[in-house]
């Protein structure tokens, strides 16, 4: 980001009248395969934000997963009596350096014996078998992100069999379509099943009705499945429906639940059967072609809002399947078109798994085929759920963040109940939650369960979203929980006796440290006071509340106290080795390459540090990231996961290091991206896909920094050396800009259009242009190459 002073005034920056052709030439938005999906994490899925559908299987069998986002089990748990007093005792033990004793106190007197969240559970599986067909001469699978549809095509000597899946957005049903051109048609058997033996499946004239309920009194649901097979002979054999001479089959699924998103503990009482009947009647009348056209229009309009071109892959690569291209990358080759496709896959996941008015995307989205998803498939609030939101605004899908913002605001009642229970003020939240939104410390290990700053991290998105949209009414909705969280911060942080306010007891999620503890010189512990993660989130929570009050013209006693309190929350320290200290003391890490890098929150996704205003902290973050990266590449566990690699991509982009960001992108492709582009922890965790998309966008545009009253817009701040020519359209920034961007041979050109008035400082390689823009105004900018 820095250039010699003699160069800072030697550039020519012009606002030019002629329109700049800023059109991305992106790679096709398709994932392809020539082999079957043997397990569900190789399958292709899609969704409409409420319903999810995914297919996998080995010919002649296919499994079609049918899901709905609100089907959750329940968990019974009780908060531990005496936890408040135990927390105070743990704080004192940490002050005395008795960290292992504080850990043990958490396990014995604070943490619950098990999980507190219910599992996300599935809505049914359609088992399909094609009978009497030979082995196909060719086989192809395609996920077409632009059309919102996945297709499997098997070719034979005398015809072709094609199956397709989609989830229609406005018709609000899932559809599975079979087309067979064999001379005598196809013989197909279909059966609906559910892994919960307590579920009930009832045969209907043209399909089935599945009645089920999430375990332990969870969400009640009904899945009505209807089969349309004109011209086919239909028979039943037990629960199986057999179609003979079938040439075209349409299977429609409507899932309705009694989940009440406004009052989860008060289920809805409407007839699920009648609702499904209405949905399916309209869908049957529309037919496959109209459902497919409706879905294509929806996805195409959204997917093309933002497109990127990072350069062209070598000739012939585009004809390879996605698995072949990934194998080529593993051999050390580069594939910029594949980077573009993975960028778009994250955006596709945003559209498929998110919908205003519904629950936000969980840990594995809407595609889980099991009764119990990995890590419960719920909402983890110490990075995972937040990472799911990172790319939405900047890549033109800001409205898809509404479900998360509403969800966070709805956590307030249980969060305030939790704070009262531990005898603190305001709102706080534990490690994770589910659709019932209850909270407490989670799990029986302080390594991940002892943090109370998760609510602060979740609330950060309420303010960051406002910086993009300028929606004052939405910010007003957020102010009560922002104030409540500020009150918690000021009741949770305590004076350390030297005039500084420290958080604790808490952890740096989900790692530990070695320290003397009176029982030995090198004891592994987790709990301490004043972790960098906690200090950064406490500072940000107060800054965000102060900012929101300023934007809304509100003055409260809490505001006046917050202004004074913030001054006494210290920044994390920079250690003797130049890295950001993860804990208040320079402890040795449990894992030097650990996957969580929460102590670097201040640079990304937080706004405490940046390359312009706090260069010393930016450099400390760089040394910290390099340290984690080095140990990960040496094979030392920890950061060797997809989502944490994605976090590193974003950090290096924020540091302006395009080569390091690109290196982590290819690291992700080599190790953590499956042949269907699923991010692997392993197993599948969807936040890595969102994090990757965010990382690409951060390389092309950044708007996190304020300087001298200007919203700083960094244009192409982290281009890799290999990205010599490219473009992006439809990027969005804080302050309300839509930006199209192109670069070639060191020259960067951009067109920016303002959605509302603002003051902007456009920058590239240390050069700047300050502009005040009115609503609807468009400017064109040109940064020529630097002369060396």
């Amino acid at each position: 980001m820095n250039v010699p002073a003699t160069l800072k005034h030697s550039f020519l920056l012009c606002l030019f009248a002629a329109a700049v052709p800023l059109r991305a030439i992106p790679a096709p938005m398709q994932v392809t395969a020539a082999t079957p999906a043997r397990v569900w994490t190789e399958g292709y899925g899609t969704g409409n934000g409420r319903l999810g559908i995914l297919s996998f299987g080995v010919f002649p069998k296919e499994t079609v997963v049918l899901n709905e986002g609100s089907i959750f089990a329940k968990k019974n748990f009780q908060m531990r009596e005496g936890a408040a007093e135990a927390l105070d005792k743990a704080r004192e033990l940490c002050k005395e350096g008795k960290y292992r004793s504080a850990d043990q106190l958490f396990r014995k007197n604070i943490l619950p014996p098990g999980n507190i969240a219910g599992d996300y559970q599935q809505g049914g599986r359609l088992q399909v078998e094609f009978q009497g067909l030979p082995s196909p001469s060719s086989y192809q699978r395609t996920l077409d992100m632009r059309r919102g549809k996945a297709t499997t095509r098997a070719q034979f000597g005398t015809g072709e069999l094609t199956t397709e899946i989609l989830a229609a957005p406005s018709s609000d049903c899932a559809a599975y379509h079979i087309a067979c051109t064999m001379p005598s048609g196809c013989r197909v058997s279909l059966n609906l099943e559910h892994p919960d033996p307590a579920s009930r499946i009832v045969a209907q004239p043209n399909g089935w009705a599945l009645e089920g309920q999430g375990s332990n009194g969870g969400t009640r649901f009904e899945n009505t499945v209807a089969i349309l097979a004109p011209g086919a002979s239909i028979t039943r054999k037990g629960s199986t429906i057999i179609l003979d001479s079938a040439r075209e089959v349409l299977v429609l699924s409507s899932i309705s639940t009694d989940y009440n998103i406004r009052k989860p503990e008060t289920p809805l009482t409407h007839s699920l059967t009648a609702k499904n009947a209405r949905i399916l009647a309209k869908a049957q009348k529309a037919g496959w072609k109209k459902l497919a056209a409706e879905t294509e229009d929806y996805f195409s309009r959204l997917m093309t809002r933002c497109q990127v071109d990072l350069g062209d892959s070598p000739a012939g690569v585009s004809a390879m399947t996605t698995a072949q291209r990934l194998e080529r990358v593993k051999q050390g080759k580069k594939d910029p078109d594949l980077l573009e496709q993975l960028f778009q896959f994250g955006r596709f996941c945003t559209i498929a798994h998110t919908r205003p008015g519904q629950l936000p995307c969980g840990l594995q989205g809407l595609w889980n085929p099991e009764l119990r998803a990995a890590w419960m498939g719920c909402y983890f609030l110490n990075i995972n759920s937040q990472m799911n939101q990172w790319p939405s605004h900047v890549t033109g899908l800001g409205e898809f963040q509404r479900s998360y913002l509403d969800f966070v605001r709805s956590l307030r009642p249980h969060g305030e109940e939790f704070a009262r229970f531990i005898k603190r003020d305001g709102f706080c939240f534990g490690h994770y939650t589910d659709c019932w939104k209850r909270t407490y410390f989670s799990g029986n290990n302080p390594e991940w369960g002892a943090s109370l700053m998760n609510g602060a991290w979740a609330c950060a998105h309420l303010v960051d979203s406002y910086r993009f949209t300028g929606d004052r009414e939405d910010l007003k909705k957020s102010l009560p929980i922002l104030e409540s969280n500020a009150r918690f911060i000021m009741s949770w942080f305590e004076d350390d006796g030297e005039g500084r306010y420290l958080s604790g007891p808490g952890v740096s999620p989900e790692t530990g440290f070695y320290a003397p503890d009176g029982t030995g010189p090198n004891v592994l512990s987790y709990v301490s006071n004043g972790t960098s993660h906690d200090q950064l989130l406490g500072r940000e929570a107060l800054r965000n509340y102060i900012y929101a009050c300023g934007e809304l013209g509100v003055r409260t006693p809490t505001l006046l106290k917050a202004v004074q309190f913030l001054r006494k929350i210290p920044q994390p320290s920079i250690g003797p080795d130049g890295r950001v200290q993860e804990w208040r003391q320079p402890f040795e890490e449990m894992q030097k390459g650990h996957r969580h890098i929460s102590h670097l929150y201040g640079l990304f996704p937080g706004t405490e540090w940046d390359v312009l205003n706090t260069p010393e902290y930016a450099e400390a973050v760089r040394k910290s990231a390099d340290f984690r990266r080095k140990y990960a590449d040496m094979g030392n566990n920890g950061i060797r996961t997809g989502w944490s690699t994605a976090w590193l991509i974003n950090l290096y982009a924020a540091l302006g290091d395009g080569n390091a960001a690109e290196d982590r992108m290819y690291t992700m492709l080599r190790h953590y991206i499956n042949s269907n582009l699923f991010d692997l922890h392993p197993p599948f965790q969807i936040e890595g896909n969102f994090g990757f998309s965010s990382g690409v966008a951060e390389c092309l545009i950044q708007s996190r920094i304020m300087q001298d009253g200007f919203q700083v817009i960094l244009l192409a701040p982290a281009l890799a050396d290999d990205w010599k020519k490219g473009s992006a359209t439809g990027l969005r920034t804080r302050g309300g800009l839509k930006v199209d961007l192109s670069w070639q041979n060191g020259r960067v050109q951009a067109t920016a259009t303002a959605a509302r008035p603002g003051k902007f400082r456009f920058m590239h390689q240390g050069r700047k242009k300050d502009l005040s823009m009115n609503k609807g105004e468009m400017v064109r900018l040109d940064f020529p190459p630097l002369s060396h």
Side-chain angles (χ1 to χ4, degrees), residues 10 20 25 105 146 156 194 244 263 269 316 324 383 416 441 486 489 524 574 599 663-664 723 758:
S10 65
V20 179
I25 306 173
L105 190 62
R146 189 164 179 167
F156 309 90
H194 194 276
D244 277 303
K263 294 182 178 180
T269 57
Q324 290 170 332
I383 175 61
E416 291 184 341
F441 291 107
I489 298 298
L524 175 61
I574 297 176
H599 59 307
D663 173 75
R664 291 300 94 180
W723 300 356

Side-chain angles (χ1 to χ4, degrees), residues 140-169:
Q140 183 181 23
R141 294 188 295 126
T142 304
L143 172 65
D144 191 328
M145 295 180 270
R146 189 164 179 167
R147 291 180 171 85
K149 181 174 67 174
T151 303
T152 299
R153 182 171 285 110
Q155 292 184 324
F156 309 90
T158 57
E160 182 177 88
L161 173 67
T162 302
T163 66
E164 301 167 282
I165 60 169
L166 58 77

Side-chain angles (χ1 to χ4, degrees), residues 3-45:
V3 298
T6 55
L7 293 178
K8 289 188 177 179
H9 303 292
S10 65
F11 65 90
L12 172 65
L13 171 67
C14 60
L15 299 178
F16 50 97
V20 179
L22 294 170
R23 292 292 176 188
I25 306 173
M29 298 182 194
Q30 292 186 340
V31 189
T32 60
T35 55
R38 298 181 180 276
V39 292
W40 78 272
T41 48
E42 295 175 354
Y44 293 156

Side-chain angles (χ1 to χ4, degrees), residues 309-311 334 336 339 649 652-653 656-666 695-696 698-700 716-726 743-746 748 764-765:
D309 174 22
L310 304 178
K334 292 192 174 182
L339 297 181
I649 294 169
Y652 280 119
D657 191 340
N659 289 332
E662 186 202 41
D663 173 75
R664 291 300 94 180
M665 291 179 194
Y666 281 109
V696 171
E698 288 290 318
C699 288
L700 304 181
L719 298 181
D721 289 345
D722 284 344
W723 300 356
K724 298 186 184 304
K725 177 183 177 181
W743 65 91
Q744 184 173 1
N745 299 326
V748 171
H764 178 65
Q765 292 185 328

Side-chain angles (χ1 to χ4, degrees), residues 394-643:
V394 69
T395 70
L397 299 174
E399 68 266 43
F400 288 87
Q401 199 172 113
R402 291 176 195 160
S403 60
Y404 182 74
L405 305 182
D406 289 341
F407 182 75
V408 171
R409 287 187 285 251
S410 72
L411 298 179
R412 182 181 158 209
H414 282 302
E416 291 184 341
E417 177 188 0
F418 183 22
R420 288 193 299 271
F421 182 79
I422 59 173
K423 299 182 180 178
R424 298 300 192 277
D425 194 12
F427 155 90
C428 65
F429 226 77
H431 179 198
Y432 53 71
T433 190
D434 53 23
C435 76
W436 316 108
K437 307 174 186 178
R438 296 186 64 198
T439 186
Y440 185 58
F441 291 107
S442 53
N444 57 4
N445 192 329
E447 179 180 354
W448 57 79
S451 174
L452 280 180
M453 302 306 292
N454 309 287
W457 192 334
C459 285
H461 284 269
L462 302 173
V463 176
D464 194 51
S465 180
Y466 169 76
R467 291 188 173 107
F468 278 96
T469 67
D471 187 339
R472 291 172 59 84
E473 292 304 313
D474 195 66
L475 188 63
K476 287 179 183 177
K477 294 179 186 177
S478 301
L479 193 61
I481 194 171
L482 293 173
E483 178 172 339
S484 189
N485 186 232
R487 295 202 316 270
F488 171 74
I489 298 298
M490 292 185 288
S491 68
W492 179 243
F493 283 60
E494 289 189 1
D495 195 314
D496 68 348
E498 299 180 15
R500 298 171 303 186
Y501 289 120
L502 301 183
S503 175
V507 295
S508 186
E510 300 170 4
T511 187
F513 56 88
Y514 294 102
D517 187 32
T519 59
N522 205 32
V523 178
L524 175 61
S525 304
Y526 300 100
V527 176
S528 68
N529 296 334
T531 67
S532 294
H533 164 267
D534 286 10
Q535 299 300 113
L536 288 165
L537 281 163
R539 287 178 58 85
E540 184 178 69
L542 296 188
R543 284 193 292 111
N544 280 342
Y545 173 62
I546 293 165
Y547 169 79
C549 288
E551 289 294 292
L552 297 173
V554 171
R555 289 180 63 83
T556 68
T558 302
L559 171 63
L560 299 176
K561 183 180 177 182
V563 171
Q564 298 298 321
F565 202 96
L566 175 60
R567 296 171 182 158
K568 295 185 179 182
I569 300 180
Q571 289 268 19
S573 299
I574 297 176
D577 59 1
R579 294 186 290 139
V580 178
Q581 278 188 191
E582 195 157 356
W583 297 274
R584 200 73 196 144
Q585 291 79 28
F587 296 140
E588 181 186 356
E589 300 93 335
M590 175 183 75
Q591 287 180 336
K592 291 179 168 51
H594 195 269
R595 63 191 178 273
H596 279 261
I597 40 181
S598 307
H599 59 307
L600 308 184
Y601 177 93
L603 185 78
F604 189 95
T607 57
E608 187 76 44
W609 309 323
D610 62 70
V611 293
L612 298 181
N613 297 309
T614 56
E616 70 285 0
Y617 271 103
E619 183 57 28
V621 169
R622 179 187 297 277
K623 289 181 178 179
S624 301
D626 286 347
F627 183 87
R628 281 283 214 270
R629 173 185 172 192
K630 177 186 75 172
Y631 277 94
D633 288 346
M634 290 167 59
N636 287 313
N637 201 348
I639 210 168
R640 295 174 65 83
T641 63
W643 63 263

